[in-house]
Amino acid sequence: MAGSEEPRVRLPQLKLDELLEELQARISAARGTQGRVHSLLEAVLSVGRELDLEQALHAIVEAAAALVDAEYAALGVIGPDGTRLSAFHTVGVSEEQIAAIGPYPEGHGILGELIRHPEPLRLGKISGHPASYGFPPGHPPMNRFLGVPIRVRDQVFGNLYLTEKRGGAEFDEEDESVLSTLAVAAGVAIDNARLYEDSRLRERWLGANAEIGHSLMSGSDRADSLGLIAERAREISASALAAVALPMEDTKSLAVEIAVGVDAEAHRGLVLSMDESLMGLAYAAAAPVTSDDVVHDPRINPEPPRFGGLGPAVAVPIGTGEGGARGVVLVAREEGRPVFLQRETEMLQGFAAQAAIAMELAERRQDAQQIALLEDRDRIARDLHDLAIQRLFATGMTLQSAGRFIEHPEASERVLRAVDDLDETIKIIRSTIFGLRAHKGTAGSGLRARVVRTVGDAAPVLGFTASVRMEGLVDTDVPADIADAVVAVLTEALTNIARHAHAGRAQVTLTTDGREVRLQVTDDGVGIAPGGRRSGLRNMAERAERLGGRLELTRPEDGGATLDWHVPLPPG
């Protein structure tokens, strides 16, 4: 009997052991799931706390790698064109490895597959997928792959890429589910970081507008205020170069008044055409104009070279109201930096619009002051005419009448001289009255406009348009006779280039510091042969000598010729 009961006892015992093992496994799995959910919640909270966008992106990558126990993780940000990656954040790859691999990927192969089809993708072997085409030299070996898209307000912001699960296991459905959940939280965190970044950026733009408005309304020099516009635009837009150009008198070209940053000297004083420059296109269209690569943009005349090392750029008109644009502000980033997004361009446009309002108010204030000054001058002119001249004339008549009764010859002669002096004084006062009431010359008569017209007129003969650069108060400091000489010398110089130089490029530079005016004309032609002085050169030299200046001719090392004509200006 004892032997027959033993099997009945063992069978339930074996089933009980199996049940206990299964229960233990389920408990362990439940604990693991609970722990993973807890880790996911912690990751979501950690990512959501970040307000700086770059720090938020890095936190997302780190959280993704930790949640699915991946050796390598990356977050690729999709660029504005929607086909390539514009930024790449990695975890698990050292700086030495990154340097050995080379530039970050742009979104080809498996990475591009997720861009083209933004759905979760799991692979047991990367090389087995049709879109795979291998890794660059120095890249760590990778086989297993898990990728999920990150959406921000129904738009794909980028993708999370995870490779090589630790322990050699493959990524499973639970890994995909956890990572997809993190991607949803990441989208919210990125959106919050963007909103915060935008608010901070708008705050900076508003602060810059207030600073510029205060500068203009406090009566600061226009050049200082324009310089402030350029400097703040460069700083806030994270650009390497900023420039401000204003329309010339003929409104057919722009003059770069201010430039700050990389190679600013190459831009300052340039005269730009409306149809061959980014700033001219923005001014003519009264709308922002962007370029992904300002160096190779076919719309922009590359002469003179001025955008070396720069890439993305945007030009925005300063004001677009009824009076049209008052100028253009351009900002450009270094080559390889991100292109200007629409929201960045809109903020810059708002900044320029506010700057235009400040300029308008400042001009109205100056106009009011000018009107008050002119009214005061008219009052002085009336008083001189109605009171001073009449009194002097009456005094002269009285002296002239009294002179007939003076018998002493010397006294009579002195009275007559006094009458003559009064007549001369009346003439001087009349001349002063005329000067007080004189009007300014017609538009387009300034030296700047005349130089631009001269260069434009010479273009058909030259076969190209010479580049023009002007610096200083050219219209204000250079008197009319010297201005006439400058135009005559420039005309002769351009004619000589057309006849003898066989040049393909020329540059005209006109500068003044208030003490001297200097005209330089450079070309890349055959140069001036020794002993080859011609009558045109003699005429230019004689003009300089008559005005106390001189003409110098040099041949640059890279060929061509440089004409340097400079004369002193009369003291102010």
Side-chain angles (χ1 to χ4, degrees), residues 444-458:
S445 61
L447 180 55
R448 280 178 177 265
R450 293 174 67 187
V451 167
V452 173
R453 280 200 302 270
T454 301
V455 171
D457 292 343

Side-chain angles (χ1 to χ4, degrees), residues 31 103 120 193 202 245 312 328 343 350 408 495 551 570:
R31 286 175 177 173
R202 291 183 190 280
V328 181
R343 61 191 179 89
H408 195 286
T495 301
L551 171 71

Side-chain angles (χ1 to χ4, degrees), residues 362-413:
E363 288 180 7
R364 292 290 177 267
R365 180 172 175 270
Q366 291 176 353
D367 288 345
Q369 293 175 340
Q370 185 69 18
I371 290 172
L373 176 62
L374 292 175
E375 289 177 348
D376 200 36
R377 291 171 66 174
D378 285 341
R379 179 188 59 76
I380 293 172
R382 286 195 304 271
D383 290 347
L384 287 174
H385 181 273
D386 297 341
L387 300 176
I389 288 182
Q390 298 303 325
R391 285 177 177 273
L392 290 173
F393 185 76
T395 302
M397 293 290 292
T398 301
L399 289 174
Q400 196 172 22
S401 299
R404 294 196 297 267
F405 299 101
I406 299 175
E407 297 180 355
H408 195 286
E410 187 175 346
S412 177
E413 184 181 351

Side-chain angles (χ1 to χ4, degrees), residues 117-302:
H117 306 288
E119 298 293 337
L121 178 64
R122 269 188 299 131
L123 299 174
K125 192 169 185 178
I126 294 176
S127 59
H129 195 279
S132 176
Y133 65 86
F135 297 103
H139 197 285
M142 296 180 181
N143 289 303
R144 293 166 177 79
F145 175 87
L146 173 60
V148 296
I150 298 175
R151 287 181 169 84
V152 177
R153 298 192 180 190
D154 297 328
Q155 289 188 343
V156 179
F157 172 84
N159 298 306
L160 276 172
Y161 308 110
L162 288 301
T163 60
E164 299 308 293
K165 190 175 179 72
R166 297 183 189 276
E170 293 188 7
F171 296 107
D172 55 24
E173 290 185 7
E174 188 176 333
D175 292 325
E176 181 181 318
S177 177
V178 168
L179 200 60
S180 297
T181 304
L182 178 66
V184 173
V188 176
I190 290 169
D191 192 31
N192 288 338
R194 273 181 165 180
L195 292 173
Y196 178 73
E197 187 179 74
D198 286 351
S199 66
R200 291 288 303 274
L201 200 56
R202 291 183 190 280
E203 183 181 349
R204 293 186 66 190
W205 283 121
L206 289 173
N209 279 129
E211 185 180 5
I212 290 164
H214 180 268
S215 172
L216 286 165
M217 297 305 292
S218 63
S220 298
D221 182 76
R222 187 185 72 165
D224 293 338
S225 298
L226 293 178
L228 190 59
I229 291 174
E231 192 61 52
R232 293 296 174 267
R234 184 182 70 86
E235 290 175 0
I236 300 175
S237 66
S239 299
L241 170 75
V244 176
L246 302 181
M248 299 192 65
E249 294 180 6
D250 59 1
T251 67
K252 295 180 181 179
S253 52
L254 297 171
V256 180
E257 298 283 339
I258 297 293
V260 294
V262 175
D263 288 337
E265 289 294 332
H267 296 263
R268 199 172 295 130
L270 276 179
V271 176
L272 305 172
S273 64
M274 293 294 183
D275 56 350
E276 292 185 329
S277 65
L278 203 64
M279 300 180 91
L281 293 171
Y283 182 86
V289 177
T290 59
S291 174
D292 292 349
D293 185 358
V294 72
V295 176
H296 301 102
D297 196 317
R299 299 171 298 174
I300 302 172
N301 188 344

